[in-house]
Amino acid sequence: MTKVFVTELVLRDGHQSLIATRMRTEDMLPICGKLDQAGFWSLEAWGGATFDACVRFLREDPWERLRKLRKALPNTRIQMLLRGQNLLGYRNYSDDVVRAFVQKSADNGVDVFRIFDAMNDLRNLRVSVEAVKAAGKHAEGAICYTTSPVHDIPHFVELARGMAEMGCDTIAIKDMAGLLTPYTAVELVRAIRATTDLPIHTHSHATSGLAHMTHLKAVEAGATIIDTCVGAFAEGASHPTTQSLVAALAGTEYDTGLSLPLIEEISAYFKEVRKKYWQFESAFTGTDTRVLINQVPGGMISNLANQLKDQGAIDRMDAVLEEIPRVRQDLGYPPLVTPTSQIVGTQAALNVLTGSRYKSVTNEVKLYLQGRYGKAPAPINEEVRKLAIGPRHHHLPSGRPAARRARQAARRDRGSGEVRRGRADLRHVPRCRQDLAAGTCRRHAQGGTAVAAGLGQDGGSAAFCRRRVQGHPAWRDLPHQAFR
């Protein structure tokens, strides 16, 4: 018997994909008892955009959420999504910050760390994997699946081999946009299995309508863990329905052993919860086969729509979706996943809204073109590079991007002048006089226009007050420099 295990995504990727990551902790805890009984291989409940959304929009301490979930789920592995050297931010952090963050996450309740790099640059995974193993936790290396002239099966197999050599415990195929077709999944899973004996974990958004078939064929080819989401937060930009795949595999050699009545009870609870977040629903979160062309990942679609709506430009959504593949080609075909999805998406939006391509270039694109995020999968459009960063393109730095960063966790905080337990004392970080509940502080908004400030997967208002965020309790548990 080849039992298939299930990772349930409702506490993270499900609501990130459909309601812009707005589910509050108070709506998660009441059902945790039943989630803990279900017998999932793991529950993805932290990481991704949840940290950002807690701090920016929900007035919650993300560390407190993790501790509460850990207490409420004593029998189930808690899984998080970690962006490698980016942690949960949008740039590379220094190695000491990465190690401190991973250790703190493990101490507070994370059991499984799914680690990926938006560029599929293995150099950006190594420190995170080492830190997870040092903490005695499960390291899952994730391959960001995408399609382009340079992304093929041998390329992904080499990534899997590199992750295995690093010491990863499992290999995830992370299909952010639902681009992986069923028979390609068979070929890819078999090729990875021929290279390493590590368990293979498949993750595929349902945006294109392919994910159910992809999971099934991947299981038949040898994948042993699949990602699904209970029906209330499934399908479209989210993931295949847990109940459907449990039923499809029942009575076969791949039977999950999970109880459909119990999962249906869990889904019924979340069906009522979802009604509370109606204002974050989007017309762009259903099945949309255009994703096979524009490759916008599930977690980005609803938030891109929310951001354009905030700017009064929702009527330009189709134009932005058409521009995204062109910007991606200019930048060397990076996979569209945080933070590269935001980098490409924001630049595409600016190209459309300003009426001229690259008339305005974001700082993030400039950093990308300087190699600060890692090595591009394919050659970059040199005309765009020259336009964005000028003659400096002849002197691009080489080597691992984060290696150029000095130690950050032990820096003295400019406000207090002292370091405690390896992190800056933030008691004296100046706060904006505007109350946290009062909304966006335009005086301290970062990044100029709201669009330029970020079309992130966190959704909501694009411009935000960084001083306000610095005053949040979560900052007292994080190295000061980590959000600068």
Side-chain angles (χ1 to χ4, degrees):
M1 298 292 285
T2 310
K3 179 179 179 179
V4 169
F5 299 93
V6 174
T7 290
E8 174 56 51
L9 307 176
V10 68
L11 298 184
R12 206 283 297 178
D13 210 5
H15 68 100
Q16 178 170 318
S17 297
L18 297 181
I19 57 168
T21 331
R22 290 309 203 278
M23 191 186 298
R24 302 183 65 85
T25 306
E26 65 187 28
D27 289 324
M28 300 176 182
L29 295 176
I31 198 63
C32 279
K34 294 189 182 299
L35 285 168
D36 200 39
Q37 297 171 20
F40 296 117
W41 186 81
S42 66
L43 269 169
E44 189 192 41
W46 213 60
T50 60
F51 196 103
D52 207 4
C54 281
V55 173
R56 290 202 204 183
F57 308 116
L58 302 181
R59 301 178 64 192
E60 290 188 9
D61 182 342
W63 297 105
E64 183 64 22
R65 171 183 289 189
L66 177 56
R67 288 189 286 268
K68 287 180 177 179
L69 289 173
R70 176 70 286 161
K71 184 177 180 180
L73 298 163
N75 303 307
T76 304
R77 298 180 187 92
I78 291 179
Q79 180 173 313
M80 78 166 291
L81 183 65
L82 189 73
R83 301 168 189 155
Q85 207 76 28
N86 295 155
L87 295 178
L88 300 180
Y90 302 92
R91 64 167 177 82
N92 284 321
Y93 299 120
S94 67
D95 293 346
D96 61 325
V97 171
V98 171
R99 294 188 182 100
F101 188 92
V102 168
Q103 185 62 57
K104 185 168 185 62
S105 301
D107 292 344
N108 281 272
V110 175
D111 301 298
V112 180
F113 292 75
R114 175 176 289 170
I115 308 166
F116 75 94
D117 177 67
M119 307 287 283
N120 277 330
D121 190 333
L122 294 180
R123 299 172 301 174
N124 291 333
L125 301 183
R126 187 171 300 279
V127 174
S128 298
V129 172
E130 290 173 352
V132 171
K133 300 302 291 182
K137 299 299 182 178
H138 185 108
E140 181 169 273
I143 298 166
C144 294
Y145 180 82
T146 189
T147 59
S148 82
V150 298
H151 290 92
D152 54 19
I153 297 297
H155 171 75
F156 294 127
V157 169
E158 282 303 308
L159 293 174
R161 180 181 289 110
M163 291 173 184
E165 291 172 353
M166 283 183 194
C168 290
D169 299 293
T170 49
I171 301 294
I173 300 171
K174 180 176 169 60
D175 178 22
M176 307 80 64
L179 303 175
L180 184 59
T181 61
Y183 290 100
T184 301
V186 170
E187 186 180 357
L188 179 56
V189 169
R190 286 177 177 168
I192 293 175
R193 287 193 68 199
T195 302
T196 174
D197 58 0
L198 294 180
I200 297 173
H201 192 158
T202 57
H203 170 101
S204 184
H205 284 260
T207 315
S208 66
L210 293 171
H212 292 79
M213 296 178 283
T214 296
H215 275 314
L216 186 59
K217 297 303 291 185
V219 164
E220 291 176 350
T224 54
I225 315 170
I226 59 175
D227 280 3
T228 63
C229 190
V230 295
F233 277 94
E235 305 304 332
S238 182
H239 291 264
T241 305
T242 302
Q243 298 97 301
S244 300
L245 280 164
V246 168
L249 298 173
T252 72
E253 61 179 311
Y254 311 113
D255 197 321
T256 65
L258 300 181
S259 168
L260 271 176
L262 177 57
I263 299 173
E264 190 57 46
E265 190 175 348
I266 294 168
S267 184
Y269 169 83
F270 282 111
K271 182 178 180 181
E272 294 303 310
V273 165
R274 185 171 176 177
K275 294 176 182 178
K276 298 169 59 174
Y277 299 94
W278 58 268
Q279 67 268 41
F280 301 110
E281 300 279 0
S282 167
F284 295 92
T285 56
T287 299
D288 187 349
T289 52
R290 289 179 299 177
V291 73
L292 297 170
I293 299 173
N294 59 50
Q295 299 198 10
V296 177
M300 185 181 174
I301 293 175
S302 63
N303 298 301
L304 181 60
N306 282 333
Q307 302 286 2
L308 290 174
K309 183 178 179 181
D310 285 346
Q311 308 310 311
I314 190 64
D315 60 315
R316 309 302 303 279
M317 181 72 167
D318 287 344
V320 173
L321 291 177
E322 291 174 2
E323 176 66 6
I324 285 173
R326 292 192 284 266
V327 173
R328 180 173 178 252
Q329 181 179 359
D330 289 339
L331 298 186
Y333 294 106
L336 290 184
V337 62
T338 305
T340 52
S341 56
Q342 283 80 7
I343 293 171
V344 172
T346 302
Q347 188 59 54
L350 285 174
N351 288 355
V352 170
L353 297 181
T354 62
S356 177
R357 302 190 76 226
Y358 302 107
K359 178 180 180 180
S360 177
V361 179
T362 67
N363 286 333
E364 289 73 22
V365 169
K366 293 176 182 178
L367 291 173
Y368 176 97
L369 294 172
Q370 294 171 28
R372 300 303 178 109
Y373 289 92
K375 183 179 179 181
I380 289 171
N381 185 324
E382 287 301 322
E383 292 302 316
V384 172
R385 199 200 302 264
K386 291 176 183 177
L387 180 66
I389 63 176
R392 288 175 294 173
H393 79 281
H394 292 298
H395 306 285
L396 296 178
S398 60
R400 189 170 65 95
R404 296 188 293 272
R405 290 195 171 274
R407 289 175 57 83
Q408 294 175 316
R411 285 183 184 174
R412 290 179 178 271
D413 177 75
R414 288 176 292 182
S416 68
E418 61 181 278
V419 173
R420 296 189 176 183
R421 294 188 300 276
R423 63 176 185 263
D425 180 359
L426 303 179
R427 291 176 299 172
H428 304 293
V429 173
R431 298 190 188 190
C432 175
R433 292 180 181 179
Q434 186 165 333
D435 185 77
L436 180 64
T440 300
C441 173
R442 294 293 173 183
R443 177 174 170 232
H444 296 137
Q446 304 293 315
T449 65
V451 170
L455 290 166
Q457 278 185 259
D458 44 64
S461 179
F464 66 96
C465 177
R466 188 167 294 184
R467 290 192 182 184
R468 184 185 72 189
V469 173
Q470 287 177 336
H472 191 279
W475 264 67
R476 290 191 285 271
D477 290 326
L478 203 66
H480 188 186
Q481 302 291 333
F483 274 79
R484 285 188 175 174

